[in-house]
Amino acid sequence: MGQIQLKNLTKRFGDTVAVEDLSLDIDDEEFLVLVGPSGCGKSTTLRCLAGLETPTSGDIYIGNDHMNYRVPQNRDIAMVFQDYALYPHMTVRQNIRYGLEEEPGYTSAERNARVEEVAETLGIADLLDRKPDELSGGQQQRVALGRAIVRDPEVFLMDEPLSNLDAKLRAEMRTELQSLQNQLKVTTVYVTHNQTEAMTMSDRLAVMNDGRLQQVGTPLECYHEPNNVFVAEFIGEPMMNLVHGTRSGSTLVTNHFEYPLDGELREAVGDREDLILGVRPEDLAVQDVDDEAPELEPHEFHFEVGVVEPHGDQNVLHLTRPGRASDDEDVLQAVTGGMHLVTQGEEVVVTIDPAKIHLFDASTGQAVRNRRHESDAELTQLEQ
Ligand code: ATP
């Protein structure tokens, strides 16, 4: 069985704590993505799992077996790295077959048959007699995958395996890797700092920062129910708007607007005074100013449109409060439909719906209230 347990894993390099007290259970057949900014300890965690680093403290189990002191060859894992590390003097066939070199119990004919089977699965059967320098980047990556798959391991460990590919190929390989994993049903731990990969490929994400685990959850949980400001900011593009404020009674006073904290919001924040209001760009409603109804509702505010970034399917609007100096930082970013015509300098009304906001304790960064969900369907999706 390919379930993995990390128990209080810590890895130090001298004074640097690369991974700190990380505990994580990964299910058999799960696709878990370790994601976080550069230097957060993703690769070190993976290398400890692989046996390329020895933990300073803590325990690693694969199946029910304690792995801390086992050499990589005896862990029943296969690794794929960013650098494909194919042998240039060997053909594709020989490179893939090399993955079986250390595996006992195969006859030569069985090894050859296995190589052909894997090449077929990866759609590279017609390339078996080529050398790596006669292949495109995507084809080389498939060969590297082939070398890992051929051994039929319990666990795949992948460290940024797609980062050398161009954007289009990357997107293609994302889908291929997912369907391959569905087909092979091998527990996979995949390291990336690319949040599109993290969101689209994983069953669950483990978000790390500064060597510490911030949250483990499905992509939608991490997106809609972030544990803290770090996860809220890291997951999502354009990122969540975060506005600092101080509570005065039932009002959150920010540098840009005063936001009423009614009933449920007021209860959620308790005695806290220093807060951060978070709202996703797509959760802001942007409307034209209605000259017939100049009065604003309590959660509506006038904003001025700064830069407009058209993406075709959507526009990203940078919004500032009217009359602010043009070099003032953007206050909010909003996403509107691509056909919604908005021009720079235009004044708009922005609704910050209380049902859609997140509130964080500014001193700890912890979420005190996450956005509500509009339908049972949304909630069911989160729970799956
Ligand atoms: P990236 O996405 O840039 O690869 P990462 O999240 O994988 O980053 P790690 O490579 O795990 O991060 O590094 C975590 C921390 O440990 C960093 O501060 C790094 O400088 C440090 N570190 C990693 N390996 C070593 C080493 N062999 N010796 C000393 N420090 C190291």
Side-chain angles (χ1 to χ4, degrees), residues 21-78:
D21 200 24
L22 172 67
S23 292
L24 186 58
D25 285 351
I26 304 168
D27 291 335
D28 190 29
E29 300 184 11
E30 183 171 6
F31 196 125
L32 182 115
V33 173
L34 279 176
V35 65
S38 184
C40 72
K42 312 178 288 294
S43 297
T44 304
T45 305
L46 202 76
R47 289 172 61 79
C48 287
L49 256 173
L52 302 174
E53 301 286 357
T54 309
T56 308
S57 60
D59 294 292
I60 299 174
Y61 294 86
I62 298 181
N64 293 319
D65 299 329
H66 191 243
M67 288 289 149
N68 286 39
Y69 307 108
R70 263 199 211 182
V71 294
Q73 298 87 306
N74 294 341
R75 294 191 179 204
D76 207 3
I77 51 166

Side-chain angles (χ1 to χ4, degrees), residues 207-222:
V207 185
M208 293 181 71
N209 187 35
D210 271 345
R212 289 190 155 268
L213 185 63
Q214 304 292 312
Q215 183 161 1
V216 190
T218 65
L220 289 182
E221 272 166 3
C222 295

Side-chain angles (χ1 to χ4, degrees), residues 119-250:
E120 204 63 57
T121 309
L122 291 167
I124 50 172
D126 53 336
L127 306 176
L128 280 171
D129 295 318
R130 290 207 200 160
K131 297 263 179 68
D133 65 358
E134 297 166 323
L135 304 176
S136 70
Q139 290 166 338
Q140 289 185 33
Q141 184 54 280
R142 283 196 185 89
V143 179
L145 277 172
R147 196 174 44 191
I149 292 168
V150 76
R151 293 183 31 216
D152 197 14
E154 285 285 8
V155 174
F156 285 138
L157 303 178
M158 302 195 183
D159 195 347
E160 306 261 7
L162 306 184
S163 40
N164 284 350
L165 305 178
D166 66 41
K168 184 164 177 288
L169 202 50
R170 228 181 141 125
E172 270 172 39
M173 286 298 288
R174 262 200 331 254
T175 326
E176 276 191 32
L177 266 181
Q178 274 173 286
S179 41
L180 194 65
Q181 205 260 352
N182 284 341
Q183 192 185 331
L184 301 176
K185 302 202 181 305
V186 174
T187 312
T188 303
V189 185
Y190 185 105
V191 161
T192 183
H193 63 268
N194 178 311
Q195 56 144 311
T196 309
E197 279 174 26
M199 289 295 285
T200 56
M201 297 177 81
S202 64
D203 294 323
R204 285 188 309 158
L205 303 178
V207 185
M208 293 181 71
N209 187 35
D210 271 345
R212 289 190 155 268
L213 185 63
Q214 304 292 312
Q215 183 161 1
V216 190
T218 65
L220 289 182
E221 272 166 3
C222 295
Y223 188 84
H224 292 298
E225 296 178 352
N227 281 348
N228 57 33
V229 174
F230 177 82
V231 176
E233 205 171 8
F234 190 76
I235 304 290
E237 173 67 41
M239 70 182 206
M240 184 186 284
N241 295 293
L242 296 168
V243 184
H244 286 252
T246 308
R247 185 180 58 79
S248 167
S250 293

